[in-house]
């Protein structure tokens, strides 16, 4: 700046040199100024300029040069003046400025250089001098107007630009003049009336006002300028000047009512009038720019006018095409991109009933224009390199395609969308969105068919509607995006990105339907991508569309972005998975009520294809919000868990099942410390399912018990889970470790929980999957029963559970349970109260025994791994296996019998207990019977049993014997006996049982009468018939038979009974018992060949011997006719038959007869009475003797000896009647077999025709006649007649002799002697004749016996002619008979 002195000096020196000759005054003036400048050279610039402005001499040389009109001088002078003006080195006064302006105005015609320098001088003149007002301003501007009209393009353009700047500078000075401290709003509050004058305006404002009024007149085409001395101006240039003022000084118009009045009264009418004229493109462009500015900057003060302008613009969309429509659209693009302006338009017009719905009509027009593109030309459209509204240098309109119009319409839609987002917080924003959303939805939906660039704007609209609380519009835009994901693979990534973005923005307000839509489309994309079809879509959309761009740029006067120059915001993440994860993670910040629809939506995915997505995402949500679900969202927790359980129960997809199961298990692990009931309940439901799901649930439960067992309080749920797992065999082995851990480390003390624990153990004991588990459960139950706490409260409960287990089908389980139960009872000992013992016996022991007695459920089939094992034949059926259980049960009862503490309660219940034991004998198998008999026998052998218990034991024994006898009577012995009915050992145990009972002193009287006992013992003997494989007892007594006899023989009536006269002597009872025992061999039924039955032979021999001995030992005083009769009857049965016991019976009879009937000459008195003797003769001797002739297998010698013994002792004790019986019996025994002559002939013929030579025998020999016995009997008969002549013996004998001889004679006569009679006939006749010859006896009439027989003897002589021996005997008899007649010597 300090160079101004140098510059002026140089300029003045040049000017002086040029004017030295021709213009000396210029030279002189220049030199004077140079002299003035010299002392100022070193001073500051400000001081220099101030000093120069004080003197008119400084500018004088330049003015003088301008007056010369000489081009070179004027050029130098104007340059100097320019420098003085720029440095304010000229006085700031109206005269000085007027002189300067007039000088410049005068020289503007001297050439381009001068003109340009003059124009350059005007700019600082306007900006730096305060005294420049009114006409000076007008003169200054007139210079520019004149130069702008010159033909030289440089000058005219420079002048136009200078003029534009000068006008702008004039308006720039108005705010400065107004002062910054004054409030704008105070001026805006003035009444907007047409001003009567401009006196109220300040100088600068007045200058600007006057200039603007004239510019309006020039722009409207009128020449009525009042301030500027300009007669005409191109309308385009005038419009440009107006645009410059309006674009840069809107505040001036808003502040000064005079200026706004000009707008409404001059500018707007001019625009409205000129707008329809579309002939001049240059003018139309500038007019459109003015319209844009009026709407953009003055809408608040030109309400009605802007309504008209906007209506005109919208009308252009419908009626115009080409560049007029493009101009209107470019203006609207800028309007739509201004959120505040667009919001004001809506509020001022659409919200007012009396106004036009500008905003709605705008959207309608845009939609109509956009949807007119049915070929997708939008894809080929591109923004113009220079917009039509910015092409001010063109006079001819550009060619505009329909694609460009559509593009601009789309930009308008984009602008509206972004503007709606920007004004969302305004009071009428919701109404604005409600008005816009349907049209925007239609437009965006159409655009979305062709390009994915529209996706971000659809996303914005969804967000805007959501924030505005418009649910249906929001869902409509979401649905639009969702449909594109499923219908358009190319747009799918962008649309999915947008959907997730909407959810991210609106997560606090979305309802369940919207969330379901979001998750559904995300699920679809995941499935689509998994199918492999998403690859092409991803490759064709490598980058997602950018979010909405800022549609305004600071360089565009209309605010419309030119091409790709608009700045964009940062693109959103392009990874859908990551975006979805981020979305789910962002839900952490949501309130509880906002979480509910999210979970509701997730739980609506019930189809198999979508479940995988739902399970994965729902798992993430549950993990994120676990604490809230368990604490503040119980209903949501139930919904989510039920959904997971539903998926886990769906067997169509195993992977989904396991995912759902893993989620529940993970949640249970993480949430056990928050709410045990809520996390354990799902495990219970999982455990009730099938497949691998319950296994995982049970493993989780086991882990929870291991880690959190000490803190768990929801034991009922734990037990419920364990109990539900027993339904499936595969789960038992997985669940049982948890139960075992529970019993080992966390055994409950709460009664209810302990009940559940016991019940669970019982359930696991009854499962059929693993026997070892069942056995372990039994052990644990026993452990619980033995624990101190359980003994007090749950001892009986444990036993009741064990009772149920005792019915298990598997023998190992029930056997172990039975053993454990009785051990538990026995170990309780004295710890139990009497009431507990009573309950134990009545409710535990007896029901258990009863339940196992007839339970024959077969055990389950063995597992495949054990199918090859061989089972022992003793346990190869269900019945045999149950027998083992019954044996253990009865042995357990026996263990109780041996327990001292059991005695007292047993005394109260001995009847039912022993009745049950009797049932075990009567209704069970042999094995059980044996075990029961052993138990009872051992109990009976107890030394200190109470009499009442012994009595009950005997009653039990008696009931058993009677029942078994009845049972044996029902057996079909014609068929093989069942192998497991009875055994010798079992029957022996019964005998030992009774022996043990009888071992106590005086026990017989307390038990039963001896007769009853003997009857029961006899029944025991009969039971041996039911033994299928009895040992050989022909020679030796079996153990049973021996002990029975011993017990029977040991029975004694008590002393009290004898002394009191009560009861009979037991000897006779024993004899009767032995008699019955002796007859048992004859009572055996017909048996099948395979049955080895008892013969009772040794028993009978023993019984016979002991019976006789007992009879002898009883003496005469103890003789019992009844007992003797019973014995005799029993023996008689063996005397007449060929039986192994025949000889012992004969011996017994002989011994009995010898005792009862002593031989003559014996000193022993007769014991038997007449009745007994009659019985012996009639029932025994008679039968025996009569049976001898046909007893071909019997020994004749023994029979003869027996006959001799009988004849020696018996006859003389008999009464006549009994003797007669004996006589007839001997007569029957003495008969030889009779063979007729014809039979003899036949026999002889057969002998002679035998094929094989043999010794000749008679027919009689072939009949095996007992000749010696018959001879002995015949001899005995003659002896009886000799001994008892007065009895019937002689008549019987004589009749016998006559019969024998007469028959012999008759047979001989029949054959004529040609056929010999049998030898025995001859021997019989010979023996008879011999005995007759020796016999000396008379008949009752006193006639000798031979005399009585004489006729028959005589008749016999001819028949014996061939038998000299017999004939000799006959002759002897005849001689004696003759002697009796007196015919000769004796």
């Amino acid at each position: 700046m300090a160079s101004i002195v140098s510059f002026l000096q140089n300029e003045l020196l040049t000017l002086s040199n040029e004017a030295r000759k021709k213009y000396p005054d210029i030279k002189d003036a220049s030199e004077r100024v140079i002299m003035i400048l010299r002392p100022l050279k070193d001073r500051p610039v400000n001081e220099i300029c101030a000093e120069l402005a004080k003197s008119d001499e400084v500018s004088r040389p330049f003015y003088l040069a301008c007056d010369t009109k000489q081009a070179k001088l004027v050029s130098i002078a104007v340059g100097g003046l320019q420098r003085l003006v720029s440095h304010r080195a000229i006085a700031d006064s109206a005269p000085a400025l007027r002189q300067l302006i007039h000088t410049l105005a005068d020289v503007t015609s001297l050439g381009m250089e001068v003109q340009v320098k003059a124009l350059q001088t005007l700019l600082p003149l306007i900006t730096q001098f305060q005294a420049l007002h009114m006409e000076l301003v007008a003169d200054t501007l007139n210079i520019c107007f004149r130069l702008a009209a010159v033909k030289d393009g440089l000058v005219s353009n420079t002048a136009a630009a200078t003029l534009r700047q000068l006008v702008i500078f004039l308006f720039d000075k108005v705010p400065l003049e107004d002062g910054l401290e004054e409030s704008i709003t105070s001026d805006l509050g003035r009444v907007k009336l047409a001003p009567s004058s401009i006196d109220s305006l300040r100088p600068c404002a007045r200058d600007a006002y006057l200039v603007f009024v004239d510019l309006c007149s020039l722009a409207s085409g009128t020449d009525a300028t009042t301030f500027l001395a300009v007669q005409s101006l191109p309308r385009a240039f005038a419009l440009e000047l107006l645009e410059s003022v309006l674009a840069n000084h809107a505040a001036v118009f808003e502040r000064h009512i005079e200026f706004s009045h000009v707008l409404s009264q001059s500018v707007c009418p001019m625009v409205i009038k000129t707008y329809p004229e579309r002939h001049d493109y240059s003018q139309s462009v500038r007019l459109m720019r003015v319209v844009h500015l009026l709407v953009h900057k003055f809408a608040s003060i030109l309400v009605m006018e802007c309504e008209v302008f906007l209506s005109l613009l919208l009308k252009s969309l419908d009626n115009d095409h080409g560049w007029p429509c493009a101009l209107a659209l470019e203006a609207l693009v800028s309007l739509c991109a201004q959120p505040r302006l667009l919001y004001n338009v809506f509020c001022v017009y659409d919200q007012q009933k009396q106004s036009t719905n500008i905003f709605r009509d705008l959207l309608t027009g845009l939609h109509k224009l956009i949807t007119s593109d049915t070929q997708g030309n939008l894809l080929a459209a591109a923004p113009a390199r220079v917009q039509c509204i910015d092409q001010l240098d063109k006079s001819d309109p550009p060619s505009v395609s329909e694609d460009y119009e559509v593009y601009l319409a789309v930009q308008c839609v984009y602008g509206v969308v972004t503007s709606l987002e920007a004004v969302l917080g305004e009071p009428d924003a919701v109404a604005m969105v409600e008005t816009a959303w349907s049209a925007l939805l239609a437009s965006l939906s159409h655009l979305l068919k062709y390009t994915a660039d529209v996706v971000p704007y659809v996303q914005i609209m969804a967000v805007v509607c959501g924030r505005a609380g418009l649910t249906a519009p929001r869902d409509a835009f979401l649905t639009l995006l969702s449909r594109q994901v499923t219908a358009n693979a190319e747009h799918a990534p962008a649309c999915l990105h947008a959907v997730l973005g909407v959810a991210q923005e609106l997560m606090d307000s979305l309802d369940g339907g919207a969330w379901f839509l979001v998750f559904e489309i995300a699920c679809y994309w995941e499935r689509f991508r998994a199918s492999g079809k998403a690859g092409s879509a991803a490759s064709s959309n490598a980058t997602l569309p950018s979010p909405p761009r800022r549609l305004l740029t600071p360089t565009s006067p209309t605010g419309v972005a030119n091409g790709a120059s608009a700045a964009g915001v940062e693109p959103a993440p392009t990874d859908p998975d990551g975006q979805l994860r981020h979305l789910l993670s962002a839900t952490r910040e949501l309130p509880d009520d906002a979480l509910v629809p999210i979970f509701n939506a997730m739980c609506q995915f019930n189809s198999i294809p979508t479940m995988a997505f739902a399970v994965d995402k729902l798992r993430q949500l549950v993990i994120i919000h676990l604490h809230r679900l368990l604490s503040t969202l119980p209903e949501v927790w139930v919904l989510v868990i039920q959904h997971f359980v539903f998926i886990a129960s769906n067997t169509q997809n195993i992977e989904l099942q396991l995912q759902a199961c893993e989620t529940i298990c993970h949640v249970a692990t993480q949430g056990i410390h928050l709410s045990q009931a809520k996390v354990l309940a799902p495990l219970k439901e999982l455990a009730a399912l099938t497949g691998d799901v319950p296994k995982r649930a049970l493993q989780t439960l086991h882990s929870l018990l291991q880690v959190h067992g000490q803190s768990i309080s929801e034991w009922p749920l734990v037990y419920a889970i364990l109990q539900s797992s027993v339904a499936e065999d595969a789960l038992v082995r997985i669940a049982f470790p948890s139960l075992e851990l529970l019993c080992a480390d966390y055994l409950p003390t709460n009664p209810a929980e302990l009940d559940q624990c016991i019940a669970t153990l019982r359930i696991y004991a009854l499962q059929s999957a693993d026997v070892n588990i069942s056995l372990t459960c039994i052990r644990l139950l026993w452990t619980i029963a033995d624990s101190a706490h359980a003994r007090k409260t749950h001892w009986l409960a444990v036993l009741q559970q064990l009772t149920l287990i005792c019915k298990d089908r598997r023998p190992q389980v029930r056997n172990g349970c039975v053993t454990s139960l009785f051990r538990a009872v026995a170990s309780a000992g004295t710890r139990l109260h009497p009431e507990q013992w009573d309950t134990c016996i009545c409710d535990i022991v007896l029901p258990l025994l009863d339940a196992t007695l007839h339970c024959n459920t077969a055990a389950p089939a063995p597992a495949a791994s054990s199918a090859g094992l061989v089972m022992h034949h003793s346990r190869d059926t269900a019945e045999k296996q149950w027998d083992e259980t019954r044996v253990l049960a009865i042995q357990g009862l026996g263990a109780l019998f041996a327990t001292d503490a059991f005695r007292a309660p047993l005394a109260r219940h001995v009847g039912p207990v022993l009745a049950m034991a009797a049932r075990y004998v009567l209704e069970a198998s042999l094995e059980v019977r044996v075990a029961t008999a052993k138990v009872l026998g051992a109990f009976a052998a107890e030394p200190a049993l109470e009499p009442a218990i012994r009595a009950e034991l005997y009653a039990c024994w008696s009931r058993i014997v009677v029942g078994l006898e009845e049972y044996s009577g029902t057996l079909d012995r014609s068929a093989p006996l069942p192998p497991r009915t009875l055994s010798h050992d079992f029957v022996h145990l019964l005998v030992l049982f009774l022996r043990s009972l009888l071992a106590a002193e005086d026990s017989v009287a307390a038990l039963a009468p001896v007769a009853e006992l003997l009857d029961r013992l006899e029944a025991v003997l009969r039971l041996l018939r039911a033994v299928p494989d009895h040992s050989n007892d022909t020679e030796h007594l079996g153990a049973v038979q021996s002990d029975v006899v011993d017990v029977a023989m040991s029975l004694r009536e008590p002393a009290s009974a004898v002394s009191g006269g009560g009861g009979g002597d037991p000897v006779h009872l024993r004899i009767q018992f032995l008699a019955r025992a002796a007859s048992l061999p004859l009572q055996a039924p017909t048996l099948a060949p395979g049955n080895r039955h008892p013969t009772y032979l040794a028993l009978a021999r023993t019984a016979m011997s002991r019976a006789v001995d007992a009879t002898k030992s009883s003496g005469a005083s103890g003789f019992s006719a009844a007992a003797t009769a019973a014995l005799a009857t029993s023996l008689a049965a063996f005397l007449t038959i060929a039986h192994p016991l025949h000889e012992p019976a004969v011996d017994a009879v002989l011994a009995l007869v010898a005792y009862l009937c002593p031989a003559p000459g014996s000193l022993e008195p007769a014991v038997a009475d007449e009745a007994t003797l009659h019985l012996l003769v009639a029932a025994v001797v008679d039968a025996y003797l009569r049976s001898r002739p046909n007893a071909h297998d019997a020994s004749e010698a023994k029979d003869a000896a027996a006959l001799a013994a009988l004849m020696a002792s018996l006859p003389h004790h008999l009464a006549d009647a009994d003797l007669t019986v004996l006589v007839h019996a001997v007569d029957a025994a003495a008969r030889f077999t009779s063979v007729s002559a014809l039979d003899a002939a036949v026999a002889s013929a057969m002998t002679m025709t035998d094929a094989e030579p043999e010794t000749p025998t008679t027919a009689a020999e072939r009949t095996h006649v007992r000749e010696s016995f018959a001879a002995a009997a015949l001899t005995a008969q003659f002896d009886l007649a000799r001994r008892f002549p007065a009895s019937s013996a002689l008549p019987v004998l004589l009749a016998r002799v006559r019969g024998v001889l007469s028959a012999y004679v008759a047979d001989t006569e029949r054959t004529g002697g040609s056929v010999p009679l049998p030898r025995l006939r001859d021997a019989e006749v010979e023996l008879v004749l011999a005995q007759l010859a020796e016999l000396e006896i008379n008949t009752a009439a006193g006639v000798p016996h031979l005399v009585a027989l004489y006729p028959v003897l005589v008749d016999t002589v001819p028949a014996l002619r061939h038998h000299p021996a017999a004939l000799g005997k006959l002759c002897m008899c005849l001689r004696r008979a003759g002697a009796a007649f007196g015919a000769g010597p004796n």
Side-chain angles (χ1 to χ4, degrees), residues 151-174:
K151 295 181 179 180
D152 189 284
L154 177 62
V155 175
S156 63
N157 290 336
T158 304
T162 302
L163 178 61
R164 186 177 295 109
Q165 293 184 27
L166 292 176
V167 172
I168 291 174
F169 289 150
L170 285 175
F171 279 85
D172 287 342
K173 295 168 67 175
V174 175

Side-chain angles (χ1 to χ4, degrees), residues 11-339:
E11 291 294 318
L12 290 173
L13 182 60
T14 302
L15 183 62
S16 176
N17 292 332
E18 291 291 334
R20 178 175 51 188
K21 297 179 179 179
K22 192 175 182 178
Y23 304 106
D25 52 344
I26 296 175
K27 177 183 177 183
D28 294 340
S30 298
E31 291 178 351
R32 285 196 296 274
V33 173
I34 291 173
M35 294 300 294
I36 295 172
L37 293 174
R38 285 178 181 172
L40 301 176
K41 185 175 182 180
D42 296 331
R43 297 176 65 180
V45 176
N46 295 337
E47 294 181 5
I48 294 173
C49 293
E51 289 295 331
L52 294 178
K54 294 178 181 179
S55 174
D56 294 337
E57 291 293 334
V58 178
S59 59
R60 180 175 176 76
F62 300 113
Y63 290 140
L64 292 175
C66 289
D67 290 339
T68 64
K69 301 296 190 292
Q70 203 274 334
K72 189 174 183 178
L73 294 176
V74 171
S75 177
I76 296 172
V78 172
L81 291 173
Q82 176 188 2
R83 184 57 60 90
L84 292 173
V85 170
S86 62
H87 287 78
R88 300 188 66 181
I90 296 178
D92 189 3
S93 61
L97 294 177
R98 185 177 294 110
Q99 182 182 4
L100 175 62
I101 292 171
H102 287 168
T103 299
L104 294 175
D106 292 339
V107 300
T108 54
S109 59
L110 295 180
M112 180 185 67
E113 183 179 358
V114 175
Q115 293 172 345
V116 171
K117 289 184 177 181
L119 291 172
Q120 292 174 348
T121 305
L122 296 179
L123 279 177
L125 184 66
I126 291 294
T127 59
Q128 297 186 22
F129 292 91
Q130 303 298 325
L132 190 65
H133 294 294
M134 295 303 289
E135 72 278 2
L136 297 180
V137 172
D139 293 342
T140 302
L141 295 178
N142 285 335
I143 294 175
C144 294
F145 280 118
R146 287 199 301 270
L147 293 178
V150 301
K151 295 181 179 180
D152 189 284
L154 177 62
V155 175
S156 63
N157 290 336
T158 304
T162 302
L163 178 61
R164 186 177 295 109
Q165 293 184 27
L166 292 176
V167 172
I168 291 174
F169 289 150
L170 285 175
F171 279 85
D172 287 342
K173 295 168 67 175
V174 175
L176 298 176
E177 182 185 55
D178 293 338
L180 297 178
E181 71 281 359
E182 297 185 14
S183 174
I184 296 177
T185 57
S186 62
D187 289 329
L188 291 176
R190 295 157 55 188
V191 180
K192 294 185 178 182
L193 298 175
S196 58
S197 66
I198 60 173
D199 296 337
S200 60
L201 295 175
R202 299 181 180 87
C204 293
R206 185 166 51 247
D207 295 337
Y209 174 80
L210 294 174
V211 171
F212 186 74
V213 170
D214 285 353
L215 289 177
C216 290
S217 298
L218 293 173
S220 62
T222 62
D223 297 333
T225 58
T226 59
F227 182 64
L228 300 175
V230 180
Q231 299 301 321
S232 64
L233 188 68
R235 178 175 291 181
F237 184 58
L239 290 174
E240 287 183 12
L241 292 177
L242 287 177
E243 178 192 355
S244 300
V245 173
L246 295 175
N248 296 285
H249 301 92
V252 173
F253 289 89
E254 293 178 351
R255 182 169 186 176
H256 296 279
I257 192 171
E258 294 82 4
F259 285 87
S260 61
H261 182 74
V262 174
L263 287 178
S264 61
Q265 297 299 321
S266 298
V267 178
C268 292
M270 179 269 295
V271 172
I272 294 172
K273 178 181 178 182
T274 309
Y275 188 84
E277 301 176 3
R278 302 298 180 89
H279 309 295
D280 187 353
Y281 171 74
S282 177
Q283 174 181 322
S284 297
V285 168
R286 289 163 175 78
L287 184 65
M288 186 61 68
R289 293 172 70 91
V290 171
V291 170
H292 166 265
L293 289 173
L294 290 174
V295 174
H296 177 64
K297 294 183 176 292
F298 304 101
S300 59
I301 60 177
L302 300 175
V303 176
M304 297 181 60
E305 292 80 357
C306 287
E307 181 179 1
V308 175
F309 296 153
L310 292 172
S311 298
L312 292 174
L313 291 176
L314 296 178
K315 187 177 180 180
S316 297
L317 300 184
D318 296 332
N319 302 330
D320 298 335
H321 294 285
W323 62 268
C325 181
L327 286 176
L329 284 171
E330 289 175 349
L332 290 175
V333 167
S334 178
L335 169 66
C336 294
Q338 301 298 318

Side-chain angles (χ1 to χ4, degrees), residues 475 478-487 492 495-496 499-500 503 510-529 576 580 583-584 597-607 609-615 617-618 621:
D475 293 345
L478 279 176
T479 303
L480 175 61
L481 292 172
S482 301
R483 289 177 179 174
Q484 286 299 311
V485 174
T486 58
C495 292
L496 176 60
V499 169
L500 296 178
L510 289 181
D511 55 16
W515 277 114
F516 180 77
L517 189 62
V518 171
F519 293 138
E520 184 181 36
I521 202 62
C523 175
Y524 171 82
W525 172 255
E526 187 174 282
R527 294 168 51 208
F528 180 73
R529 184 182 58 185
L580 184 57
L583 173 64
L584 297 179
I598 299 178
F599 284 100
N600 287 337
M602 274 297 187
C603 293
Q604 294 180 26
F605 289 88
N606 294 325
S607 62
T610 61
M611 278 187 182
F613 170 84
V615 169
K617 301 306 179 287
L618 193 57
L621 284 172

Side-chain angles (χ1 to χ4, degrees), residues 599 603 618 622 635-645:
F599 284 100
C603 293
L618 193 57
V622 170
E635 296 180 356
V636 177
W637 168 259
V638 172
L639 174 67
V640 171
I641 289 303
Q642 290 301 321
H643 185 68
F644 277 124
V645 172

Side-chain angles (χ1 to χ4, degrees), residues 247 777 825 1143:
C777 289
V825 175
E1143 292 182 4

Side-chain angles (χ1 to χ4, degrees), residues 1292-1305:
V1292 172
L1293 176 62
L1294 295 177
R1296 170 68 183 273
V1297 171
R1298 289 189 187 97
V1300 171
L1301 295 177
S1302 297
Y1304 187 83
V1305 171

Side-chain angles (χ1 to χ4, degrees), residues 335-336 361 607 657-658 799 1023 1251 1289 1362 1371:
L335 169 66
C336 294
D361 295 344
S607 62
Q657 272 189 304
L658 296 179
L799 295 186
L1023 289 179
H1362 299 295
C1371 292

